[in-house]
């Protein structure tokens, strides 16, 4: 069995704790078989540096490459986050299409692909991650790498008519199809890309999950990413989780708690969510002073205009709702634009009666799964989940809502707050079984198994 070669935009830091499920999953995969973790170092320099910096931790080599200021602005802030991110999240109206940004994106993928190809051995397998590196695999092929190579997209893949809004959509699709296996979060995302290849690129479906296109055979499959339920439960019961919950309880005066935890991103439906909570207070005067909404939303990509506008909108919405309804001893919305560690978040999930996860579109959304994992059978909270989140395909025990339906989401929150404990336990048992059946280890192992056998004949 050869080594595993992983490429992701950001890597874990050698010697540091692995923050988040993906870093843990990839670290475990590398620890099992050895290999290389390649990606951007996080450093931005004025001039390009040649090659990579290598660090060794146990049987994993970390290979880190720098970006120049121009590359960071064109590749990362520009094409990746001003074009790909909005289009893949169905927000063509927010996309900025710039030829120079794409040229820089292409150049970075070319440079990184060549660097990574130099680190491979003939019996390795390569696993490339996410929208930052849609063209890297093709560059590796052109640099001579001919071994098994897979790609996993962590964000949604839109329908063909939306993806085609990108001026370079066929170039990107051809680059993706340099891989033997392309993994998506959901069956919907997989079907969208399959339809694009067949309808737009004259691809020929072969068997259940393959398409012959661009003179290659490409396998397309859904691998919904999971979390580690036992780890989240332990964090919720641990010191950090208990302390965070105790701090909030001191000021909440035993009020019912609704919680949302998201990056501050327009794909997360935060304005609609706040509006729904405001509608709940409009419609149910009996809840005044008896329920609070905690929204944790650390800022992200603050250099992008759309994110700056979102911050202003959220500040205004939270202020208006609190101004309309707050009392001397009650603040309806506690809105915190900062990060909290996973242990603290797990404790807050366990304290909450309702988990409000209502993105407008999301690849998966692990917050939904972490909220469920943090609950207890004795008194579980209720998950209110957007039907447009990838997690909705697996989590049928949640109350599913259309996040654009403000009144409907408000009604769902009210239903969750008033749900009898017997129904809450039944729903939680269904959700818990789902997140355990396809957890983080299942995701990693199933993708790698499929990649290792991808060149076997198609039935």
């Amino acid at each position: 069995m050869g080594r595993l070669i992983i490429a992701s935009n950001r890597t874990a830091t050698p010697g540091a704790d692995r923050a988040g499920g993906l870093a843990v999953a990839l670290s475990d995969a590398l620890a099992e078989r050895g290999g290389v973790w390649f990606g951007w170092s996080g450093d931005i320099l004025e001039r390009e540096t040649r090659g990579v910096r290598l660090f060794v931790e146990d049987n994993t080599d970390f290979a880190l490459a720098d970006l120049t200021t121009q590359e960071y602005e064109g590749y990362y802030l520009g094409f990746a986050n001003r074009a790909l991110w909005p289009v893949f999240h169905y927000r063509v109206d927010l996309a900025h299409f710039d030829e120079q940004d794409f040229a820089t994106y292409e150049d970075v993928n070319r440079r990184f692909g060549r660097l990574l190809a130099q680190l491979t051995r003939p019996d390795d397998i390569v696993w490339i991650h996410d929208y930052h590196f849609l063209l890297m695999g093709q560059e590796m092929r052109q640099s001579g790498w001919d071994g098994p190579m897979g790609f996993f997209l962590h964000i949604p893949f839109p329908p063909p008519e939306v993806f085609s809004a990108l001026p370079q959509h066929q170039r990107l699709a051809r680059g993706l199809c340099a891989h033997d296996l392309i993994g998506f979060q959901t069956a919907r995302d997989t079907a969208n890309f399959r339809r694009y290849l067949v309808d737009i690129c004259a691809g020929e479906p072969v068997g259940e999950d393959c398409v012959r296109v661009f003179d290659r055979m490409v396998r397309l499959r859904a691998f919904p990413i999971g979390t580690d339920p036992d780890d989240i439960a332990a964090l919720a019961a641990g010191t950090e989780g208990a302390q965070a919950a105790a701090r909030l309880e001191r000021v909440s005066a035993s009020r019912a708690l609704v919680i949302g935890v998201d990056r501050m991103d327009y794909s997360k439906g935060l304005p609609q969510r706040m509006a729904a909570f405001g509608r709940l207070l409009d419609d149910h005067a009996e809840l005044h002073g008896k329920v609070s909404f905690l929204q944790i939303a650390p800022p992200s990509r603050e250099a992008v205009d759309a994110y700056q506008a979102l911050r202003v909108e959220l500040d205004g919405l939270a202020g208006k709702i609190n101004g309309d309804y707050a009392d001397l001893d009650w603040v309806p919305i506690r809105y915190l634009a900062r990060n909290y560690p996973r242990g603290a978040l797990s404790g807050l999930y366990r304290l909450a009666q309702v988990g409000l996860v209502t993105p407008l579109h999301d690849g998966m959304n692990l917050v939904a799964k972490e909220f469920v994992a943090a609950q207890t059978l004795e008194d579980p909270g209720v998950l209110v989940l957007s039907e447009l989140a990838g997690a909705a395909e697996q989590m049928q025990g949640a109350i599913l809502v259309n996040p654009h339906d403000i009144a409907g989401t408000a009604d769902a929150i009210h239903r969750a707050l008033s749900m009898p404990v017997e129904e809450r336990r039944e729903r939680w048992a269904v959700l818990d079984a789902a997140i355990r059946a396809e957890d983080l280890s299942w995701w990693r192992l199933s993708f790698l198994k499929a990649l290792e056998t991808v060149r076997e004949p198609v039935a």
Side-chain angles (χ1 to χ4, degrees), residues 53-119:
R53 284 177 278 155
L54 292 173
F55 303 88
V56 179
E57 182 181 277
D58 298 326
N59 60 343
T60 301
D61 294 335
F62 292 83
L64 308 180
D66 302 323
L67 292 176
T68 66
T69 301
Q70 180 183 0
E71 288 174 335
Y72 175 73
E73 292 175 352
Y75 149 77
Y76 182 75
L77 291 180
F79 192 74
N81 287 307
R82 287 193 175 99
L84 292 178
W85 181 270
V87 170
F88 278 44
H89 286 87
Y90 297 61
R91 292 301 305 271
V92 177
D93 59 309
L94 295 178
H96 176 72
F97 303 122
D98 183 277
E99 291 181 9
Q100 186 55 52
D101 284 350
F102 176 73
T104 305
Y105 177 90
E106 193 172 32
D107 287 345
V108 170
N109 273 251
R110 182 178 297 116
R111 177 164 71 88
F112 280 18
R114 289 173 178 172
L115 289 172
L116 186 57
Q118 294 171 11
L119 301 174

Side-chain angles (χ1 to χ4, degrees), residues 135-163:
L135 301 177
M136 180 187 283
Q138 186 177 50
E139 185 57 42
M140 291 190 67
R141 296 295 189 206
Q142 293 173 355
S143 296
W145 169 249
D146 193 38
M149 185 165 60
F151 180 92
F152 188 81
L153 183 68
H154 291 265
I155 64 176
F157 192 90
E161 52 272 21
V162 176
F163 180 60

Side-chain angles (χ1 to χ4, degrees), residues 181-236:
L181 171 68
I182 305 175
F184 301 88
Q185 296 279 22
T186 68
R188 177 175 56 202
D189 298 331
T190 310
N192 283 342
F193 189 58
R194 180 186 181 91
R195 185 157 66 91
Y196 172 85
L197 293 180
V198 172
D199 293 353
I200 307 299
C201 304
E204 175 193 353
V206 180
E208 183 177 337
D209 57 7
C210 291
V211 177
R212 191 186 309 278
V213 66
F214 303 128
D215 299 319
R216 288 185 53 79
M217 184 75 77
V218 184
R219 180 160 292 168
L220 314 176
R221 282 184 54 186
F223 300 89
I225 195 169
T227 189
D228 183 338
D230 291 333
D231 180 56
I232 298 299
L235 288 172

Side-chain angles (χ1 to χ4, degrees), residues 168-189:
Q168 306 86 4
H169 61 92
Q170 291 205 29
R171 170 79 179 90
L172 296 168
R174 185 178 291 272
L176 267 176
C177 290
H179 302 88
D180 300 293
L181 171 68
I182 305 175
F184 301 88
Q185 296 279 22
T186 68
R188 177 175 56 202
D189 298 331

